[in-house]
Amino acid sequence: MDNLTAFLTKNFHWLLFLLLETVSVTLLLRYNSYQGSVWISSANAVSGKLFEWQSGVEQFFQLNDRAWQLAVRNVELEDELSKVREELRQLRGDTLQPDSTMSSVASELHLLQAKVVSNTLHRRDNLITIDRGSLDGVEPDMGVVSGMGLVGVVYMVGSHYSVVIPLLNVHSRISCGIRGSGYFGYLLWDGVSTTDVFMEDVPRHAQLKRGAYVETSGYSDIFPPGITVGKIVDIGNSADGLSYRLRIRLSTDFGCLRDVSVISDKHFSERLQLLKAARDSLALAN
């Protein structure tokens, strides 16, 4: 207390000066319209500039992050494209005009860009809503991907919005394979981790290693082959010990999912109707 009293006594004239200056400036700005308007304009200009700098810095770091993601995805797409070209050459039995064949295959697919408007992570039946619907050409059972990999399958469709069952849903079942090996299984989520899923029914004789990529197998009418799912981070056994159960670290970060694409195929509806008719026919036969 003595030290505070001594400080105030020693610096009383400076403190009084600051107090009087503050009162004078306040009275000047409050009771003089011109000076007040100048002060408000100057304050707004300074705050606007600060917000502009802040926005610029945030956009800079966001652009760097998106540029990195696009660069990684471009490398993956180039690798997948080269593998598809090689497979097409082998199927045709020649090496002539692979580009025209590739163009005809690519022309059957169309990516419809969409925004995620709602997303849940910590429920067993997580769902994603996107801002595209039937008026945009979206249909149930269409595949959904992001710039980093697989997302899920369209479940319900409205006029302007659609609901997607993501990989992080216990009801999700998607066929996938191990890149470069030919072995395949299906993806299953255990309802726990938001970064990992499991690959079930992988044969015991399969040659496996951690770090290998997992991708869509193409054994369905929903996804073309070669879409990245993630990497193998652990190799375990199934409950009955007859197959492997692989833990897959997802390449898609569902926690910050914003932009997605719906895979639209020109012949999607025709194949789906044919498959449904075949199943109905078998059900009647049994």
Side-chain angles (χ1 to χ4, degrees), residues 44-98:
N44 287 339
V46 172
S47 60
K49 199 65 178 178
L50 290 175
F51 284 128
E52 181 181 348
W53 289 343
Q54 179 184 3
S55 176
V57 171
E58 291 176 351
Q59 290 180 7
F60 173 78
F61 284 108
Q62 290 176 358
L63 287 174
N64 281 348
D65 182 60
R66 291 192 177 187
W68 176 82
Q69 292 184 5
L70 289 174
V72 172
R73 186 54 182 159
N74 283 339
V75 172
E76 294 177 351
L77 288 174
E78 288 291 339
D79 180 59
E80 293 167 6
L81 184 59
S82 64
K83 290 180 179 179
V84 171
R85 285 198 178 107
E86 181 61 29
E87 291 175 357
L88 287 173
R89 292 191 189 100
Q90 294 176 3
L91 289 174
R92 287 171 57 89
D94 60 58
T95 58
L96 298 177
Q97 299 179 340

Side-chain angles (χ1 to χ4, degrees), residues 100-111 264-267:
S100 62
T101 305
M102 191 65 202
S103 298
S104 63
V105 173
S107 65
E108 302 298 324
L109 298 177
H110 173 67
L111 295 180
S264 176
D265 187 340
K266 290 182 177 180
H267 302 297

Side-chain angles (χ1 to χ4, degrees), residues 215-235:
E215 59 191 13
T216 53
S217 63
Y219 296 146
S220 72
D221 292 322
I222 299 177
F223 296 101
I227 299 176
T228 301
V229 175
K231 290 183 179 181
I232 299 175
V233 294
D234 189 41
I235 302 173

Side-chain angles (χ1 to χ4, degrees), residues 123-244:
R123 303 173 60 177
R124 293 180 60 82
D125 54 351
N126 292 308
L127 296 173
I128 295 174
T129 304
I130 59 175
D131 64 347
R132 297 288 184 177
S134 59
L135 296 180
D136 303 295
V138 180
E139 299 179 29
D141 294 324
M142 282 185 170
V144 181
V145 298
S146 71
M148 297 302 292
L150 197 63
V151 173
V153 178
V154 175
Y155 177 51
M156 298 181 66
V157 178
S159 298
H160 303 284
Y161 297 93
S162 299
V163 175
V164 178
I165 294 183
L167 297 179
L168 301 182
N169 187 305
V170 294
H171 302 292
S172 175
R173 297 288 190 279
I174 295 177
S175 176
C176 59
I178 302 169
R179 181 176 296 175
S181 71
Y183 297 107
F184 61 92
Y186 68 92
L187 294 180
L188 174 68
W189 187 51
D190 63 354
V192 180
S193 173
T194 59
T195 60
D196 297 348
V197 295
F198 290 93
M199 183 174 175
E200 306 279 356
D201 286 351
V202 180
R204 294 288 299 181
H205 58 274
Q207 299 296 319
L208 306 173
K209 62 179 181 179
R210 291 178 177 84
Y213 277 98
V214 173
E215 59 191 13
T216 53
S217 63
Y219 296 146
S220 72
D221 292 322
I222 299 177
F223 296 101
I227 299 176
T228 301
V229 175
K231 290 183 179 181
I232 299 175
V233 294
D234 189 41
I235 302 173
N237 295 319
S238 62
D240 57 12
L242 300 178
S243 60
Y244 285 121

